Amino acid sequence: MAAKILDGNALAKKIKTEIAAQIKRDNLEVGLAVVLVGNDPASRVYVDHKKKDCDECGIISHEYRLPASATQNQVIELIQALNADSEINGILIQQPFPAHIDVLSVNEAVSPYKDVDAFRTDTVGKIAVGDYGADSTTFLPCTPAGVMELIRSSGTDICGKECVVVGRSNIVGKPMALMLLNESATVTVCHSKTADLGAVTRRADILVSAVGRARLITADMVKPGAVVIDVGMNRDENGKLCGDADTAAVAEVAGFITPVPGGVGPMTRALLMRNTLNAKRHSHE
Ligand code: GUN
Protein backbone atom coordinates (compact mmCIF):
# COMPACT_ATOMS: atom_id res chain seq x y z
CA MET A 1 0.00 0.00 0.00
CA ALA A 2 1.56 3.28 -1.13
CA ALA A 3 -0.59 5.89 0.59
CA LYS A 4 0.04 7.20 4.07
CA ILE A 5 -3.03 7.04 6.30
CA LEU A 6 -4.26 10.36 7.68
CA ASP A 7 -5.37 9.30 11.15
CA GLY A 8 -8.41 11.38 12.09
CA ASN A 9 -8.79 9.68 15.46
CA ALA A 10 -5.27 10.67 16.55
CA LEU A 11 -5.59 14.25 15.29
CA ALA A 12 -9.05 14.65 16.88
CA LYS A 13 -7.71 13.32 20.17
CA LYS A 14 -4.96 15.97 20.13
CA ILE A 15 -7.50 18.76 19.50
CA LYS A 16 -9.84 17.48 22.22
CA THR A 17 -6.99 17.20 24.72
CA GLU A 18 -6.11 20.87 24.07
CA ILE A 19 -9.76 21.89 24.48
CA ALA A 20 -10.09 19.92 27.74
CA ALA A 21 -6.92 21.56 29.08
CA GLN A 22 -8.18 25.07 28.24
CA ILE A 23 -11.59 24.46 29.81
CA LYS A 24 -9.94 23.13 32.97
CA ARG A 25 -7.30 25.86 33.15
CA ASP A 26 -9.86 28.67 32.76
CA ASN A 27 -12.46 26.92 34.90
CA LEU A 28 -15.14 27.35 32.21
CA GLU A 29 -18.68 26.01 32.20
CA VAL A 30 -19.38 25.24 28.56
CA GLY A 31 -22.73 23.84 27.41
CA LEU A 32 -23.72 22.27 24.08
CA ALA A 33 -27.36 21.55 23.22
CA VAL A 34 -27.86 18.68 20.80
CA VAL A 35 -31.35 18.35 19.37
CA LEU A 36 -32.53 15.18 17.64
CA VAL A 37 -35.86 15.23 15.83
CA GLY A 38 -37.17 11.76 14.99
CA ASN A 39 -35.47 8.41 15.07
CA ASP A 40 -32.96 8.26 12.23
CA PRO A 41 -30.66 5.42 13.42
CA ALA A 42 -27.45 6.95 11.99
CA SER A 43 -28.29 10.30 13.64
CA ARG A 44 -28.72 8.57 16.99
CA VAL A 45 -25.23 7.09 16.67
CA TYR A 46 -23.75 10.51 15.72
CA VAL A 47 -25.48 12.17 18.67
CA ASP A 48 -24.12 9.51 21.07
CA HIS A 49 -20.60 10.09 19.70
CA LYS A 50 -20.96 13.85 20.22
CA LYS A 51 -21.96 13.27 23.84
CA LYS A 52 -18.84 11.18 24.37
CA ASP A 53 -16.68 13.94 22.85
CA CYS A 54 -18.31 16.49 25.18
CA ASP A 55 -17.49 14.26 28.15
CA GLU A 56 -13.84 14.01 27.03
CA CYS A 57 -13.56 17.78 26.68
CA GLY A 58 -15.37 18.72 29.87
CA ILE A 59 -18.26 20.26 27.91
CA ILE A 60 -21.73 19.77 29.40
CA SER A 61 -23.97 18.06 26.86
CA HIS A 62 -27.69 18.84 26.98
CA GLU A 63 -29.70 16.45 24.85
CA TYR A 64 -33.21 17.14 23.52
CA ARG A 65 -35.19 14.49 21.68
CA LEU A 66 -38.34 15.41 19.82
CA PRO A 67 -40.60 12.86 18.11
CA ALA A 68 -40.64 12.64 14.29
CA SER A 69 -44.17 14.12 14.50
CA ALA A 70 -42.90 17.37 16.10
CA THR A 71 -44.04 20.43 14.17
CA GLN A 72 -41.68 23.03 12.77
CA ASN A 73 -43.04 25.50 15.34
CA GLN A 74 -42.22 23.14 18.18
CA VAL A 75 -38.65 22.76 16.93
CA ILE A 76 -38.26 26.53 16.55
CA GLU A 77 -39.76 27.18 20.00
CA LEU A 78 -37.19 24.81 21.51
CA ILE A 79 -34.39 26.62 19.65
CA GLN A 80 -35.64 29.99 20.91
CA ALA A 81 -35.62 28.71 24.48
CA LEU A 82 -32.05 27.45 23.98
CA ASN A 83 -31.03 30.80 22.44
CA ALA A 84 -32.16 32.49 25.66
CA ASP A 85 -30.56 29.94 28.01
CA SER A 86 -27.23 31.21 29.37
CA GLU A 87 -26.08 27.66 30.19
CA ILE A 88 -26.17 26.81 26.48
CA ASN A 89 -23.25 28.11 24.40
CA GLY A 90 -23.75 26.06 21.24
CA ILE A 91 -26.83 24.62 19.56
CA LEU A 92 -26.75 21.74 17.10
CA ILE A 93 -29.86 20.35 15.42
CA GLN A 94 -28.88 16.99 14.00
CA GLN A 95 -29.72 16.55 10.32
CA PRO A 96 -31.49 15.05 8.42
CA PHE A 97 -34.87 16.30 9.65
CA PRO A 98 -38.26 14.70 9.01
CA ALA A 99 -39.50 15.83 5.57
CA HIS A 100 -42.15 18.26 6.88
CA ILE A 101 -39.54 20.46 8.59
CA ASP A 102 -37.87 23.21 6.56
CA VAL A 103 -34.11 22.97 7.02
CA LEU A 104 -33.31 26.62 6.23
CA SER A 105 -35.94 27.99 8.65
CA VAL A 106 -34.58 25.82 11.46
CA ASN A 107 -30.97 26.80 10.69
CA GLU A 108 -31.89 30.51 10.73
CA ALA A 109 -33.63 30.20 14.11
CA VAL A 110 -30.33 29.43 15.86
CA SER A 111 -28.68 32.49 17.41
CA PRO A 112 -25.60 33.61 15.41
CA TYR A 113 -23.67 33.45 18.70
CA LYS A 114 -24.57 29.77 19.16
CA ASP A 115 -24.39 28.57 15.54
CA VAL A 116 -21.64 26.00 16.16
CA ASP A 117 -22.61 24.05 13.02
CA ALA A 118 -22.11 27.24 10.93
CA PHE A 119 -25.30 26.52 9.00
CA ARG A 120 -26.86 30.02 9.13
CA THR A 121 -26.82 31.80 5.79
CA ASP A 122 -25.00 34.85 7.25
CA THR A 123 -22.29 32.52 8.57
CA VAL A 124 -22.00 30.89 5.13
CA GLY A 125 -21.76 34.40 3.64
CA LYS A 126 -18.83 35.25 5.91
CA ILE A 127 -17.10 32.08 4.81
CA ALA A 128 -17.74 33.02 1.16
CA VAL A 129 -16.01 36.38 1.60
CA GLY A 130 -13.21 34.94 3.75
CA ASP A 131 -14.26 36.78 6.91
CA TYR A 132 -12.65 34.39 9.33
CA GLY A 133 -9.25 33.89 10.88
CA ALA A 134 -7.45 33.14 14.10
CA ASP A 135 -9.21 35.78 16.20
CA SER A 136 -12.50 35.83 14.30
CA THR A 137 -15.85 35.10 15.91
CA THR A 138 -17.09 33.39 12.71
CA PHE A 139 -17.79 29.71 13.25
CA LEU A 140 -16.33 27.41 10.62
CA PRO A 141 -18.45 24.48 9.41
CA CYS A 142 -17.17 21.45 11.29
CA THR A 143 -16.63 18.93 8.50
CA PRO A 144 -14.85 21.24 6.00
CA ALA A 145 -12.77 22.70 8.85
CA GLY A 146 -11.83 19.17 9.91
CA VAL A 147 -10.90 18.32 6.31
CA MET A 148 -8.63 21.40 6.13
CA GLU A 149 -6.81 20.21 9.27
CA LEU A 150 -6.39 16.72 7.78
CA ILE A 151 -4.97 18.17 4.55
CA ARG A 152 -2.56 20.36 6.54
CA SER A 153 -1.50 17.34 8.62
CA SER A 154 -0.26 15.72 5.38
CA GLY A 155 2.19 18.61 5.00
CA THR A 156 0.60 19.56 1.66
CA ASP A 157 0.63 23.25 0.73
CA ILE A 158 -2.89 24.00 -0.57
CA CYS A 159 -1.92 27.23 -2.40
CA GLY A 160 -2.00 26.76 -6.18
CA LYS A 161 -3.05 23.10 -6.01
CA GLU A 162 -5.77 21.52 -8.15
CA CYS A 163 -8.54 20.64 -5.68
CA VAL A 164 -11.61 18.70 -6.74
CA VAL A 165 -14.61 18.50 -4.45
CA VAL A 166 -17.17 15.82 -5.32
CA GLY A 167 -20.55 16.76 -3.84
CA ARG A 168 -22.29 20.12 -3.55
CA SER A 169 -24.23 19.88 -0.29
CA ASN A 170 -24.71 22.94 1.90
CA ILE A 171 -23.14 21.06 4.82
CA VAL A 172 -19.93 19.91 3.11
CA GLY A 173 -19.37 20.42 -0.64
CA LYS A 174 -20.13 24.14 -1.00
CA PRO A 175 -18.35 25.43 2.14
CA MET A 176 -15.47 23.03 1.42
CA ALA A 177 -14.97 24.54 -2.03
CA LEU A 178 -15.07 28.08 -0.59
CA MET A 179 -12.52 27.30 2.11
CA LEU A 180 -10.11 25.72 -0.39
CA LEU A 181 -10.57 28.71 -2.69
CA ASN A 182 -9.79 31.05 0.21
CA GLU A 183 -6.46 29.17 0.54
CA SER A 184 -5.72 29.96 -3.14
CA ALA A 185 -6.36 26.48 -4.52
CA THR A 186 -7.76 26.00 -8.03
CA VAL A 187 -11.12 24.48 -7.14
CA THR A 188 -13.54 22.39 -9.21
CA VAL A 189 -16.85 21.18 -7.79
CA CYS A 190 -18.36 18.00 -9.25
CA HIS A 191 -21.76 16.47 -8.63
CA SER A 192 -24.20 13.87 -9.90
CA LYS A 193 -24.65 15.65 -13.25
CA THR A 194 -20.91 15.95 -13.96
CA ALA A 195 -20.38 14.36 -17.39
CA ASP A 196 -17.06 12.56 -16.92
CA LEU A 197 -16.28 12.46 -13.22
CA GLY A 198 -13.05 10.48 -13.58
CA ALA A 199 -11.61 12.95 -16.11
CA VAL A 200 -12.02 15.73 -13.54
CA THR A 201 -10.97 13.82 -10.41
CA ARG A 202 -7.77 12.61 -12.14
CA ARG A 203 -6.60 16.23 -12.22
CA ALA A 204 -6.84 16.57 -8.45
CA ASP A 205 -3.78 17.02 -6.27
CA ILE A 206 -6.32 17.11 -3.44
CA LEU A 207 -9.55 15.15 -3.89
CA VAL A 208 -12.39 15.53 -1.40
CA SER A 209 -15.37 13.23 -1.88
CA ALA A 210 -18.58 14.01 0.01
CA VAL A 211 -21.30 12.18 -1.89
CA GLY A 212 -22.44 9.20 0.14
CA ARG A 213 -22.00 6.41 -2.39
CA ALA A 214 -19.81 3.38 -1.68
CA ARG A 215 -16.97 2.78 -4.17
CA LEU A 216 -17.76 5.89 -6.20
CA ILE A 217 -14.06 6.81 -6.26
CA THR A 218 -12.05 4.02 -7.85
CA ALA A 219 -8.27 3.81 -8.21
CA ASP A 220 -8.32 4.84 -11.90
CA MET A 221 -9.99 8.14 -10.92
CA VAL A 222 -7.10 9.22 -8.69
CA LYS A 223 -3.89 11.01 -9.67
CA PRO A 224 -0.77 9.22 -8.38
CA GLY A 225 0.36 10.81 -5.11
CA ALA A 226 -2.90 12.73 -4.53
CA VAL A 227 -4.29 13.55 -1.10
CA VAL A 228 -7.67 11.77 -0.92
CA ILE A 229 -10.10 12.89 1.77
CA ASP A 230 -13.12 10.65 2.09
CA VAL A 231 -16.12 12.31 3.75
CA GLY A 232 -18.51 9.51 2.74
CA MET A 233 -20.24 7.47 5.42
CA ASN A 234 -21.92 4.49 3.78
CA ARG A 235 -22.68 0.83 4.37
CA ASP A 236 -21.35 -1.75 1.91
CA GLU A 237 -23.34 -4.83 0.82
CA ASN A 238 -22.27 -6.60 4.04
CA GLY A 239 -23.46 -3.72 6.22
CA LYS A 240 -19.89 -2.63 6.96
CA LEU A 241 -19.15 1.08 7.32
CA CYS A 242 -17.28 2.47 4.31
CA GLY A 243 -16.58 5.77 2.58
CA ASP A 244 -16.97 6.95 -1.03
CA ALA A 245 -13.57 5.61 -2.06
CA ASP A 246 -12.58 2.05 -2.80
CA THR A 247 -10.01 2.60 -0.06
CA ALA A 248 -7.67 -0.38 -0.46
CA ALA A 249 -7.34 0.09 -4.24
CA VAL A 250 -7.14 3.91 -4.09
CA ALA A 251 -4.43 3.62 -1.42
CA GLU A 252 -2.21 1.91 -4.03
CA VAL A 253 -2.27 5.12 -6.09
CA ALA A 254 -2.79 8.00 -3.64
CA GLY A 255 -0.09 9.67 -1.54
CA PHE A 256 -2.38 10.12 1.46
CA ILE A 257 -5.85 8.82 2.27
CA THR A 258 -8.30 9.09 5.16
CA PRO A 259 -9.83 5.84 6.42
CA VAL A 260 -13.56 5.33 7.07
CA PRO A 261 -14.21 5.07 9.93
CA GLY A 262 -11.46 6.98 11.73
CA GLY A 263 -10.80 9.79 9.25
CA VAL A 264 -13.10 12.77 8.77
CA GLY A 265 -15.82 11.70 11.26
CA PRO A 266 -13.84 12.22 14.48
CA MET A 267 -12.41 15.47 13.08
CA THR A 268 -15.91 16.87 12.44
CA ARG A 269 -16.75 16.27 16.08
CA ALA A 270 -13.46 17.68 17.38
CA LEU A 271 -14.08 20.89 15.42
CA LEU A 272 -17.60 21.03 16.88
CA MET A 273 -16.01 20.97 20.33
CA ARG A 274 -13.65 23.78 19.28
CA ASN A 275 -16.57 25.88 17.97
CA THR A 276 -18.45 25.32 21.22
CA LEU A 277 -15.50 26.50 23.30
CA ASN A 278 -15.16 29.55 21.01
CA ALA A 279 -18.89 30.24 21.47
CA LYS A 280 -18.32 30.29 25.22
CA ARG A 281 -15.30 32.58 24.89
CA HIS A 282 -17.28 35.08 22.83
CA SER A 283 -20.55 34.79 24.76
CA HIS A 284 -20.03 38.04 26.69
CA GLU A 285 -19.12 40.22 23.70
N1 GUN B 1 -25.73 15.52 9.81
C1 GUN B 1 -24.60 15.07 9.21
N2 GUN B 1 -23.56 15.86 9.55
C2 GUN B 1 -24.04 16.81 10.38
C3 GUN B 1 -23.44 17.90 11.06
O1 GUN B 1 -22.24 18.18 10.97
N3 GUN B 1 -24.28 18.65 11.83
C4 GUN B 1 -25.60 18.38 11.93
N4 GUN B 1 -26.35 19.17 12.68
N5 GUN B 1 -26.18 17.37 11.32
C5 GUN B 1 -25.39 16.60 10.54
PDB file of all heavy atoms in Angstrom, residues 35 43 46 50 91-97 107 117 119 141-144 171-172 268-269 272, ligand 1:
ATOM      1  N   VAL A  35     -29.929  18.620  19.560  1.00  0.00           N
ATOM      2  CA  VAL A  35     -31.349  18.345  19.369  1.00  0.00           C
ATOM      3  C   VAL A  35     -31.500  17.287  18.285  1.00  0.00           C
ATOM      4  O   VAL A  35     -30.931  17.403  17.198  1.00  0.00           O
ATOM      5  CB  VAL A  35     -32.102  19.635  18.943  1.00  0.00           C
ATOM      6  CG1 VAL A  35     -33.595  19.350  18.744  1.00  0.00           C
ATOM      7  CG2 VAL A  35     -31.889  20.749  19.969  1.00  0.00           C
ATOM      8  N   SER A  43     -28.350   9.072  12.854  1.00  0.00           N
ATOM      9  CA  SER A  43     -28.289  10.304  13.642  1.00  0.00           C
ATOM     10  C   SER A  43     -28.149   9.992  15.125  1.00  0.00           C
ATOM     11  O   SER A  43     -27.433  10.686  15.845  1.00  0.00           O
ATOM     12  CB  SER A  43     -29.551  11.142  13.419  1.00  0.00           C
ATOM     13  OG  SER A  43     -29.538  11.698  12.131  1.00  0.00           O
ATOM     14  N   TYR A  46     -24.558   9.277  15.753  1.00  0.00           N
ATOM     15  CA  TYR A  46     -23.750  10.506  15.721  1.00  0.00           C
ATOM     16  C   TYR A  46     -23.915  11.301  17.016  1.00  0.00           C
ATOM     17  O   TYR A  46     -22.954  11.812  17.584  1.00  0.00           O
ATOM     18  CB  TYR A  46     -24.148  11.399  14.532  1.00  0.00           C
ATOM     19  CG  TYR A  46     -23.895  10.808  13.166  1.00  0.00           C
ATOM     20  CD1 TYR A  46     -24.698  11.150  12.087  1.00  0.00           C
ATOM     21  CD2 TYR A  46     -22.842   9.925  12.935  1.00  0.00           C
ATOM     22  CE1 TYR A  46     -24.473  10.613  10.829  1.00  0.00           C
ATOM     23  CE2 TYR A  46     -22.619   9.388  11.693  1.00  0.00           C
ATOM     24  CZ  TYR A  46     -23.443   9.731  10.629  1.00  0.00           C
ATOM     25  OH  TYR A  46     -23.228   9.205   9.390  1.00  0.00           O
ATOM     26  N   LYS A  50     -21.192  12.452  19.832  1.00  0.00           N
ATOM     27  CA  LYS A  50     -20.959  13.853  20.221  1.00  0.00           C
ATOM     28  C   LYS A  50     -20.997  13.984  21.745  1.00  0.00           C
ATOM     29  O   LYS A  50     -20.245  14.759  22.326  1.00  0.00           O
ATOM     30  CB  LYS A  50     -21.997  14.766  19.551  1.00  0.00           C
ATOM     31  CG  LYS A  50     -21.687  14.972  18.073  1.00  0.00           C
ATOM     32  CD  LYS A  50     -22.814  15.608  17.287  1.00  0.00           C
ATOM     33  CE  LYS A  50     -22.467  15.573  15.803  1.00  0.00           C
ATOM     34  NZ  LYS A  50     -23.562  15.932  14.906  1.00  0.00           N
ATOM     35  N   ILE A  91     -25.599  25.376  19.855  1.00  0.00           N
ATOM     36  CA  ILE A  91     -26.829  24.618  19.559  1.00  0.00           C
ATOM     37  C   ILE A  91     -26.612  23.860  18.255  1.00  0.00           C
ATOM     38  O   ILE A  91     -26.215  24.448  17.246  1.00  0.00           O
ATOM     39  CB  ILE A  91     -28.045  25.554  19.392  1.00  0.00           C
ATOM     40  CG1 ILE A  91     -28.267  26.380  20.662  1.00  0.00           C
ATOM     41  CG2 ILE A  91     -29.306  24.759  19.034  1.00  0.00           C
ATOM     42  CD1 ILE A  91     -29.321  27.479  20.500  1.00  0.00           C
ATOM     43  N   LEU A  92     -26.876  22.564  18.304  1.00  0.00           N
ATOM     44  CA  LEU A  92     -26.747  21.735  17.104  1.00  0.00           C
ATOM     45  C   LEU A  92     -28.043  20.964  16.901  1.00  0.00           C
ATOM     46  O   LEU A  92     -28.512  20.299  17.825  1.00  0.00           O
ATOM     47  CB  LEU A  92     -25.576  20.771  17.303  1.00  0.00           C
ATOM     48  CG  LEU A  92     -25.304  19.790  16.173  1.00  0.00           C
ATOM     49  CD1 LEU A  92     -23.818  19.589  16.016  1.00  0.00           C
ATOM     50  CD2 LEU A  92     -25.983  18.447  16.425  1.00  0.00           C
ATOM     51  N   ILE A  93     -28.650  21.123  15.737  1.00  0.00           N
ATOM     52  CA  ILE A  93     -29.856  20.352  15.422  1.00  0.00           C
ATOM     53  C   ILE A  93     -29.423  19.289  14.416  1.00  0.00           C
ATOM     54  O   ILE A  93     -29.065  19.614  13.281  1.00  0.00           O
ATOM     55  CB  ILE A  93     -30.959  21.229  14.767  1.00  0.00           C
ATOM     56  CG1 ILE A  93     -30.941  22.670  15.303  1.00  0.00           C
ATOM     57  CG2 ILE A  93     -32.332  20.581  14.892  1.00  0.00           C
ATOM     58  CD1 ILE A  93     -31.370  22.843  16.701  1.00  0.00           C
ATOM     59  N   GLN A  94     -29.412  18.054  14.852  1.00  0.00           N
ATOM     60  CA  GLN A  94     -28.879  16.988  13.998  1.00  0.00           C
ATOM     61  C   GLN A  94     -29.714  16.828  12.732  1.00  0.00           C
ATOM     62  O   GLN A  94     -30.933  16.746  12.781  1.00  0.00           O
ATOM     63  CB  GLN A  94     -28.855  15.671  14.800  1.00  0.00           C
ATOM     64  CG  GLN A  94     -28.194  14.519  14.077  1.00  0.00           C
ATOM     65  CD  GLN A  94     -26.705  14.711  13.867  1.00  0.00           C
ATOM     66  OE1 GLN A  94     -26.008  15.286  14.696  1.00  0.00           O
ATOM     67  NE2 GLN A  94     -26.201  14.241  12.739  1.00  0.00           N
ATOM     68  N   GLN A  95     -29.048  16.793  11.599  1.00  0.00           N
ATOM     69  CA  GLN A  95     -29.719  16.550  10.320  1.00  0.00           C
ATOM     70  C   GLN A  95     -29.492  15.100   9.911  1.00  0.00           C
ATOM     71  O   GLN A  95     -28.505  14.509  10.323  1.00  0.00           O
ATOM     72  CB  GLN A  95     -29.168  17.513   9.262  1.00  0.00           C
ATOM     73  CG  GLN A  95     -29.525  18.958   9.579  1.00  0.00           C
ATOM     74  CD  GLN A  95     -29.164  19.912   8.456  1.00  0.00           C
ATOM     75  OE1 GLN A  95     -28.856  19.505   7.347  1.00  0.00           O
ATOM     76  NE2 GLN A  95     -29.217  21.197   8.753  1.00  0.00           N
ATOM     77  N   PRO A  96     -30.326  14.473   9.095  1.00  0.00           N
ATOM     78  CA  PRO A  96     -31.487  15.051   8.421  1.00  0.00           C
ATOM     79  C   PRO A  96     -32.706  15.186   9.335  1.00  0.00           C
ATOM     80  O   PRO A  96     -32.824  14.483  10.328  1.00  0.00           O
ATOM     81  CB  PRO A  96     -31.760  14.020   7.315  1.00  0.00           C
ATOM     82  CG  PRO A  96     -31.288  12.726   7.876  1.00  0.00           C
ATOM     83  CD  PRO A  96     -30.110  13.060   8.750  1.00  0.00           C
ATOM     84  N   PHE A  97     -33.609  16.115   8.940  1.00  0.00           N
ATOM     85  CA  PHE A  97     -34.872  16.299   9.651  1.00  0.00           C
ATOM     86  C   PHE A  97     -35.979  15.499   8.961  1.00  0.00           C
ATOM     87  O   PHE A  97     -35.863  15.193   7.779  1.00  0.00           O
ATOM     88  CB  PHE A  97     -35.323  17.775   9.606  1.00  0.00           C
ATOM     89  CG  PHE A  97     -34.312  18.744  10.139  1.00  0.00           C
ATOM     90  CD1 PHE A  97     -34.258  20.026   9.623  1.00  0.00           C
ATOM     91  CD2 PHE A  97     -33.446  18.405  11.154  1.00  0.00           C
ATOM     92  CE1 PHE A  97     -33.344  20.945  10.101  1.00  0.00           C
ATOM     93  CE2 PHE A  97     -32.526  19.315  11.637  1.00  0.00           C
ATOM     94  CZ  PHE A  97     -32.474  20.590  11.108  1.00  0.00           C
ATOM     95  N   ASN A 107     -32.356  26.297  10.584  1.00  0.00           N
ATOM     96  CA  ASN A 107     -30.974  26.804  10.691  1.00  0.00           C
ATOM     97  C   ASN A 107     -30.972  28.283  11.083  1.00  0.00           C
ATOM     98  O   ASN A 107     -30.165  28.718  11.914  1.00  0.00           O
ATOM     99  CB  ASN A 107     -30.224  26.648   9.364  1.00  0.00           C
ATOM    100  CG  ASN A 107     -29.937  25.197   9.025  1.00  0.00           C
ATOM    101  OD1 ASN A 107     -30.056  24.319   9.871  1.00  0.00           O
ATOM    102  ND2 ASN A 107     -29.559  24.943   7.783  1.00  0.00           N
ATOM    103  N   ASP A 117     -22.652  24.817  14.265  1.00  0.00           N
ATOM    104  CA  ASP A 117     -22.609  24.045  13.022  1.00  0.00           C
ATOM    105  C   ASP A 117     -22.248  24.937  11.824  1.00  0.00           C
ATOM    106  O   ASP A 117     -21.928  24.436  10.753  1.00  0.00           O
ATOM    107  CB  ASP A 117     -23.990  23.423  12.743  1.00  0.00           C
ATOM    108  CG  ASP A 117     -24.029  21.930  13.005  1.00  0.00           C
ATOM    109  OD1 ASP A 117     -22.975  21.281  12.906  1.00  0.00           O
ATOM    110  OD2 ASP A 117     -25.128  21.423  13.299  1.00  0.00           O
ATOM    111  N   PHE A 119     -24.316  26.773  10.049  1.00  0.00           N
ATOM    112  CA  PHE A 119     -25.302  26.523   8.995  1.00  0.00           C
ATOM    113  C   PHE A 119     -26.130  27.757   8.642  1.00  0.00           C
ATOM    114  O   PHE A 119     -26.881  27.753   7.676  1.00  0.00           O
ATOM    115  CB  PHE A 119     -26.266  25.404   9.417  1.00  0.00           C
ATOM    116  CG  PHE A 119     -25.661  24.012   9.406  1.00  0.00           C
ATOM    117  CD1 PHE A 119     -26.365  22.949   9.954  1.00  0.00           C
ATOM    118  CD2 PHE A 119     -24.416  23.763   8.841  1.00  0.00           C
ATOM    119  CE1 PHE A 119     -25.837  21.664   9.943  1.00  0.00           C
ATOM    120  CE2 PHE A 119     -23.874  22.484   8.831  1.00  0.00           C
ATOM    121  CZ  PHE A 119     -24.597  21.423   9.387  1.00  0.00           C
ATOM    122  N   PRO A 141     -17.698  25.736   9.462  1.00  0.00           N
ATOM    123  CA  PRO A 141     -18.453  24.482   9.412  1.00  0.00           C
ATOM    124  C   PRO A 141     -17.532  23.311   9.763  1.00  0.00           C
ATOM    125  O   PRO A 141     -16.404  23.226   9.281  1.00  0.00           O
ATOM    126  CB  PRO A 141     -18.954  24.411   7.970  1.00  0.00           C
ATOM    127  CG  PRO A 141     -18.124  25.378   7.210  1.00  0.00           C
ATOM    128  CD  PRO A 141     -17.611  26.395   8.170  1.00  0.00           C
ATOM    129  N   CYS A 142     -18.042  22.417  10.620  1.00  0.00           N
ATOM    130  CA  CYS A 142     -17.168  21.449  11.288  1.00  0.00           C
ATOM    131  C   CYS A 142     -16.494  20.469  10.329  1.00  0.00           C
ATOM    132  O   CYS A 142     -15.297  20.197  10.462  1.00  0.00           O
ATOM    133  CB  CYS A 142     -17.976  20.667  12.325  1.00  0.00           C
ATOM    134  SG  CYS A 142     -18.782  21.747  13.519  1.00  0.00           S
ATOM    135  N   THR A 143     -17.255  19.936   9.364  1.00  0.00           N
ATOM    136  CA  THR A 143     -16.633  18.931   8.497  1.00  0.00           C
ATOM    137  C   THR A 143     -15.587  19.558   7.573  1.00  0.00           C
ATOM    138  O   THR A 143     -14.433  19.093   7.548  1.00  0.00           O
ATOM    139  CB  THR A 143     -17.703  18.147   7.704  1.00  0.00           C
ATOM    140  OG1 THR A 143     -18.529  17.460   8.650  1.00  0.00           O
ATOM    141  CG2 THR A 143     -17.075  17.135   6.765  1.00  0.00           C
ATOM    142  N   PRO A 144     -15.901  20.637   6.831  1.00  0.00           N
ATOM    143  CA  PRO A 144     -14.849  21.240   6.002  1.00  0.00           C
ATOM    144  C   PRO A 144     -13.646  21.714   6.832  1.00  0.00           C
ATOM    145  O   PRO A 144     -12.499  21.564   6.400  1.00  0.00           O
ATOM    146  CB  PRO A 144     -15.557  22.425   5.339  1.00  0.00           C
ATOM    147  CG  PRO A 144     -16.998  22.076   5.361  1.00  0.00           C
ATOM    148  CD  PRO A 144     -17.205  21.269   6.606  1.00  0.00           C
ATOM    149  N   ILE A 171     -23.888  21.409   3.605  1.00  0.00           N
ATOM    150  CA  ILE A 171     -23.135  21.062   4.815  1.00  0.00           C
ATOM    151  C   ILE A 171     -21.647  20.870   4.510  1.00  0.00           C
ATOM    152  O   ILE A 171     -20.797  21.276   5.278  1.00  0.00           O
ATOM    153  CB  ILE A 171     -23.710  19.777   5.475  1.00  0.00           C
ATOM    154  CG1 ILE A 171     -25.121  20.008   6.008  1.00  0.00           C
ATOM    155  CG2 ILE A 171     -22.810  19.282   6.583  1.00  0.00           C
ATOM    156  CD1 ILE A 171     -25.683  18.836   6.812  1.00  0.00           C
ATOM    157  N   VAL A 172     -21.339  20.228   3.376  1.00  0.00           N
ATOM    158  CA  VAL A 172     -19.926  19.912   3.111  1.00  0.00           C
ATOM    159  C   VAL A 172     -19.414  20.519   1.790  1.00  0.00           C
ATOM    160  O   VAL A 172     -18.521  21.361   1.790  1.00  0.00           O
ATOM    161  CB  VAL A 172     -19.656  18.385   3.108  1.00  0.00           C
ATOM    162  CG1 VAL A 172     -18.154  18.124   2.966  1.00  0.00           C
ATOM    163  CG2 VAL A 172     -20.180  17.725   4.368  1.00  0.00           C
ATOM    164  N   THR A 268     -14.692  16.044  12.421  1.00  0.00           N
ATOM    165  CA  THR A 268     -15.906  16.873  12.442  1.00  0.00           C
ATOM    166  C   THR A 268     -16.303  17.160  13.880  1.00  0.00           C
ATOM    167  O   THR A 268     -16.586  18.290  14.269  1.00  0.00           O
ATOM    168  CB  THR A 268     -17.071  16.141  11.732  1.00  0.00           C
ATOM    169  OG1 THR A 268     -16.749  15.996  10.359  1.00  0.00           O
ATOM    170  CG2 THR A 268     -18.381  16.900  11.863  1.00  0.00           C
ATOM    171  N   ARG A 269     -16.290  16.112  14.697  1.00  0.00           N
ATOM    172  CA  ARG A 269     -16.749  16.268  16.080  1.00  0.00           C
ATOM    173  C   ARG A 269     -15.767  17.069  16.905  1.00  0.00           C
ATOM    174  O   ARG A 269     -16.152  17.859  17.761  1.00  0.00           O
ATOM    175  CB  ARG A 269     -17.045  14.894  16.680  1.00  0.00           C
ATOM    176  CG  ARG A 269     -18.231  14.256  15.967  1.00  0.00           C
ATOM    177  CD  ARG A 269     -18.562  12.856  16.415  1.00  0.00           C
ATOM    178  NE  ARG A 269     -17.592  12.242  17.259  1.00  0.00           N
ATOM    179  CZ  ARG A 269     -16.915  11.127  16.962  1.00  0.00           C
ATOM    180  NH1 ARG A 269     -17.104  10.520  15.817  1.00  0.00           N
ATOM    181  NH2 ARG A 269     -16.061  10.622  17.823  1.00  0.00           N
ATOM    182  N   LEU A 272     -16.380  20.599  16.192  1.00  0.00           N
ATOM    183  CA  LEU A 272     -17.599  21.031  16.879  1.00  0.00           C
ATOM    184  C   LEU A 272     -17.271  21.424  18.315  1.00  0.00           C
ATOM    185  O   LEU A 272     -17.770  22.440  18.821  1.00  0.00           O
ATOM    186  CB  LEU A 272     -18.635  19.897  16.854  1.00  0.00           C
ATOM    187  CG  LEU A 272     -19.875  20.108  17.713  1.00  0.00           C
ATOM    188  CD1 LEU A 272     -20.743  21.219  17.132  1.00  0.00           C
ATOM    189  CD2 LEU A 272     -20.681  18.813  17.827  1.00  0.00           C
TER     190      LEU A 272
HETATM  191  N1  GUN B   1     -25.729  15.520   9.814  1.00  0.00           N
HETATM  192  C1  GUN B   1     -24.598  15.074   9.207  1.00  0.00           C
HETATM  193  N2  GUN B   1     -23.557  15.861   9.547  1.00  0.00           N
HETATM  194  C2  GUN B   1     -24.040  16.808  10.375  1.00  0.00           C
HETATM  195  C3  GUN B   1     -23.441  17.898  11.061  1.00  0.00           C
HETATM  196  O1  GUN B   1     -22.239  18.178  10.966  1.00  0.00           O
HETATM  197  N3  GUN B   1     -24.283  18.649  11.829  1.00  0.00           N
HETATM  198  C4  GUN B   1     -25.599  18.379  11.931  1.00  0.00           C
HETATM  199  N4  GUN B   1     -26.347  19.170  12.682  1.00  0.00           N
HETATM  200  N5  GUN B   1     -26.180  17.373  11.317  1.00  0.00           N
HETATM  201  C5  GUN B   1     -25.393  16.600  10.540  1.00  0.00           C
END
